[in-house]
Amino acid sequence: MPDPAARSLRTRRSGLVGVVIPDLTNPVLAPIVQGAEETLRAAGFGCLLADTDNDPAREEAAIAELEARRCEGLVIATARRRSPAVERLAKHGPAAVLVTRGLDTGALPLVAADDAHGVAAAVRHLVALGHRHLAHLTGPRDLSTTARRARAVRESAKAFERSGVDVVVRHGAGFTIADGRRLGRALLSAHPEVTAIVAGNDMIALGCLDAMAEAGLRCPEDVSLVGHNDMPFVDRLEPALTTVAIPQRALGVRAAEVLLGRLAGEAVAPEPLVLPTELVVRGSTAPPPAARRS
Amino acid sequence: MPDPAARSLRTRRSGLVGVVIPDLTNPVLAPIVQGAEETLRAAGFGCLLADTDNDPAREEAAIAELEARRCEGLVIATARRRSPAVERLAKHGPAAVLVTRGLDTGALPLVAADDAHGVAAAVRHLVALGHRHLAHLTGPRDLSTTARRARAVRESAKAFERSGVDVVVRHGAGFTIADGRRLGRALLSAHPEVTAIVAGNDMIALGCLDAMAEAGLRCPEDVSLVGHNDMPFVDRLEPALTTVAIPQRALGVRAAEVLLGRLAGEAVAPEPLVLPTELVVRGSTAPPPAARRS
DNA sequence: ATGAAAGCGCTAACAC
DNA sequence: GTGTTAGCGCTTTCAT
């Protein structure tokens, strides 16, 4: 059984890949990490996990540490649209692949879900139910996911402009339940005309549910709600959450595969790899109340 | 910036710790891994993650691989009561600490929750509500958690023997929702007198909820249900789950600390480190239906 | 105190 | 094809 340190010293290969994630506690991430880990392991790589707790400073420290440990590749799920620490990897440092959250510059390969498609389906669904005044409550502006989803909501709503459809878009500080609660409270009091909310992710949707309950509004009778990600267990909530399902495990697997390709010297397509999404209609969406219907 | 391979070759220290878990997708594990990772990282160790998908063969392979990579320590959350691959670590191989799931031999240090206390509180709670015919539906026999919880349920029920309290205990193949569904279906048809179920973990409890719904039984009106672990989001189910809360994050942190202690040469107490649990009463428990009350 | 050198275990290059 | 050897970059020891 050869000594990996000696081999590594000689071959300059560590057999290690770093996986940088914003928060293991967010249930969407588990299948992504699992898929990546399994794929990487099958290819003979070990997975060094680093949780940044959504903190850019910790992200930078984590990347530095992973580089110091001579990881051959990095799977990064924490990138912001402009992230000096991440962007630098495009020039120097180990091969890196981004999952879900991409860079504005597109300097690094990205594996992401087709959020625009899913969100457009959500808006169509709500409009077909009779909703005219929509809201989009989402996370920080500096994430590509947020930007993509917000743009898709705006454009989809705009396509129904002649039917009197409008949408108010609000960004929060993060993607937590507490952020969703804050956003929901503010929206509900400022825009009582809104009968349907498209949340930037399922955590925000959960917070919206809390805000509705506080305001004495029922979901879906008074306000409809669509989440994003279809994370585990949202199908068992009351009401079961209508949400845009992303292929969680596949995102991890494909990201790992793209990274393995890069490590094997393959040229990587400059275009993001986009995986399909699907609107899963459950109990949190319904026609708007008659009194509010336009 | 020194080369870790060269340093490692010279010092015989890799700066790596392996973390072996049964299934990242089970939400209880996220905080445990997070706590361990953060603690280990703060001490300068990198975390190599290995998910065994609850497969003993993969567990053995994972341990072998982690040893081959010269991990200085292992945090293992997958141990069965007799696990040759794990037991061997007590003799040869890197320092290892078990979390939650211990060995019958006690050969390796264990950090676990005080399940017996939590489960006893659950039984007392149910008996106080008026339940007399209880059931305990849990996971495989070859896990120490299962054994501890089952024993505690039996003993607690026995303490109320004179009040006419009895309990039927059933073991399933795993700790999944599907296992809970199977166990619940079988129990409900075989023991219609049962008015309260103590589940071996929250996943099994979710399966029981499904089985009740299939059987046209309402929770908690017809049958009360207590889970175990208080994993994220079970407070938002319908009904909100009454469950035994374990200090998830602390389990990971303490396990890491014990491991760090061992690596620093400290003698480790032969007794398991037991962290407190607490019964969290929510909506899934209520008095038994009058027709069934004994 | 400061500096030089040996050697950790492997692989790749090269000589035979 | 088979065997030998140099050297990867560090730490530690030993000599000055």
Side-chain angles (χ1 to χ4, degrees):
Chain A
M1 197 180 266
D3 180 322
R7 149 181 294 181
S8 176
L9 180 60
R10 188 66 183 102
T11 62
R12 326 251 44 184
R13 314 198 324 97
S14 65
L16 258 26
V17 165
V19 178
V20 186
I21 58 173
D23 179 15
L24 233 205
T25 264
N26 181 334
V28 231
L29 285 167
I32 295 179
V33 172
Q34 209 179 43
E37 192 259 350
E38 191 168 318
T39 308
L40 260 3
R41 158 183 308 261
F45 287 92
C47 265
L48 272 176
L49 190 70
D51 189 315
T52 67
D53 196 25
N54 269 305
D55 177 346
R58 287 178 65 169
E59 176 194 54
E60 184 161 356
I63 291 176
E65 190 208 309
L66 262 8
E67 277 189 81
R69 288 189 189 274
R70 299 292 188 273
C71 284
E72 295 178 48
L74 256 31
V75 175
I76 298 178
T78 57
R80 279 150 299 119
R81 291 167 57 191
R82 339 209 111 221
S83 310
V86 177
E87 285 169 30
R88 195 183 38 73
L89 293 171
K91 306 272 178 215
H92 320 286
V97 172
L98 310 182
V99 217
T100 307
R101 298 178 177 182
L103 251 18
D104 270 356
T105 65
L108 250 16
L110 169 66
V111 176
D114 191 354
D115 296 343
H117 172 269
V119 159
V123 170
R124 275 199 307 276
H125 166 63
L126 291 169
V127 170
L129 284 170
H131 295 274
R132 291 299 173 264
H133 303 296
L134 313 182
H136 180 51
L137 266 23
T138 188
R141 287 196 153 73
D142 63 348
L143 300 177
S144 67
T145 46
T146 310
R148 280 201 309 267
R149 293 172 196 176
R151 178 153 23 88
V153 168
R154 278 205 188 86
E155 287 176 3
S156 310
K158 189 149 199 173
F160 292 108
E161 208 172 15
R162 288 181 312 171
S163 316
V165 171
D166 56 49
V167 59
V168 6
V169 177
R170 295 273 182 101
H171 292 267
F175 267 130
T176 67
I177 293 180
D179 291 309
R181 207 142 39 200
R182 273 189 289 272
L183 286 164
R185 279 199 273 253
L187 175 86
L188 261 17
S189 64
H191 290 276
E193 79 282 7
V194 165
T195 58
I197 299 176
V198 177
N201 80 348
D202 292 335
M203 298 294 244
I204 289 181
L206 291 182
C208 286
L209 239 23
D210 293 346
M212 289 181 204
E214 285 174 17
L217 262 15
R218 288 162 309 157
C219 177
E221 292 82 357
D222 297 313
V223 180
S224 285
L225 179 63
V226 180
H228 203 290
N229 285 353
D230 193 22
M231 66 183 202
F233 308 110
V234 294
D235 56 331
R236 316 185 68 105
L237 300 178
E238 183 57 34
L241 192 66
T242 294
T243 188
V244 175
I246 65 173
Q248 304 165 354
R249 193 161 204 293
L251 284 166
V253 171
R254 301 293 286 146
E257 287 173 350
V258 170
L259 183 62
L260 290 170
R262 283 199 60 176
L263 293 177
E266 292 172 21
V268 173
E271 293 304 300
L273 183 50
V274 177
L275 305 187
T277 56
E278 187 191 0
L279 179 69
V280 180
V281 177
R282 291 197 273 244
S284 66
T285 46
R292 289 176 166 209
R293 194 172 301 164
S294 45
Chain B
M1 198 180 267
D3 180 322
R7 148 178 295 181
S8 176
L9 180 59
R10 189 69 185 105
T11 61
R12 327 252 42 182
R13 313 197 328 97
S14 64
L16 258 24
V17 165
V19 178
V20 186
I21 57 172
D23 179 14
L24 232 204
T25 265
N26 181 333
V28 230
L29 285 167
I32 295 179
V33 172
Q34 209 178 43
E37 191 259 351
E38 191 166 319
T39 308
L40 260 4
R41 157 182 310 262
F45 287 92
C47 264
L48 272 176
L49 189 70
D51 189 316
T52 67
D53 196 26
N54 269 303
D55 177 347
R58 287 178 65 169
E59 177 195 53
E60 184 162 356
I63 291 177
E65 191 207 310
L66 263 6
E67 277 189 81
R69 287 189 189 274
R70 299 291 188 275
C71 284
E72 295 178 48
L74 257 30
V75 174
I76 299 179
T78 57
R80 281 149 298 120
R81 290 167 56 192
R82 341 207 107 220
S83 308
V86 177
E87 285 168 32
R88 194 183 40 72
L89 292 171
K91 306 273 178 212
H92 320 286
V97 171
L98 310 182
V99 216
T100 308
R101 299 179 176 180
L103 252 18
D104 271 355
T105 66
L108 251 17
L110 169 67
V111 177
D114 191 354
D115 296 341
H117 172 268
V119 159
V123 170
R124 276 199 306 275
H125 167 62
L126 292 169
V127 170
L129 284 170
H131 294 275
R132 291 301 173 262
H133 303 297
L134 313 182
H136 180 52
L137 266 24
T138 188
R141 287 196 153 73
D142 62 349
L143 300 178
S144 68
T145 46
T146 311
R148 281 201 309 267
R149 294 172 197 177
R151 179 155 20 89
V153 168
R154 279 207 188 84
E155 287 176 3
S156 310
K158 188 148 199 174
F160 292 108
E161 208 172 16
R162 288 181 311 172
S163 317
V165 170
D166 56 49
V167 58
V168 8
V169 177
R170 295 273 182 100
H171 292 268
F175 265 130
T176 68
I177 293 181
D179 291 308
R181 207 140 42 197
R182 272 189 288 273
L183 286 165
R185 279 199 273 251
L187 175 86
L188 261 17
S189 63
H191 290 276
E193 79 280 7
V194 165
T195 59
I197 299 176
V198 177
N201 81 346
D202 291 335
M203 297 295 242
I204 288 182
L206 292 182
C208 286
L209 239 24
D210 294 346
M212 290 180 203
E214 285 173 19
L217 264 15
R218 288 162 308 157
C219 178
E221 293 82 357
D222 297 313
V223 179
S224 284
L225 179 63
V226 181
H228 202 291
N229 286 350
D230 193 23
M231 65 183 203
F233 307 111
V234 294
D235 56 331
R236 315 184 68 103
L237 299 178
E238 184 56 36
L241 192 66
T242 294
T243 189
V244 175
I246 64 174
Q248 304 166 352
R249 194 161 203 293
L251 284 166
V253 171
R254 301 293 285 147
E257 287 172 350
V258 170
L259 183 62
L260 290 170
R262 282 199 61 177
L263 292 177
E266 293 171 20
V268 172
E271 292 304 299
L273 183 52
V274 177
L275 305 187
T277 56
E278 187 190 1
L279 179 69
V280 181
V281 176
R282 292 198 272 244
S284 66
T285 46
R292 289 175 166 212
R293 194 171 302 160
S294 45

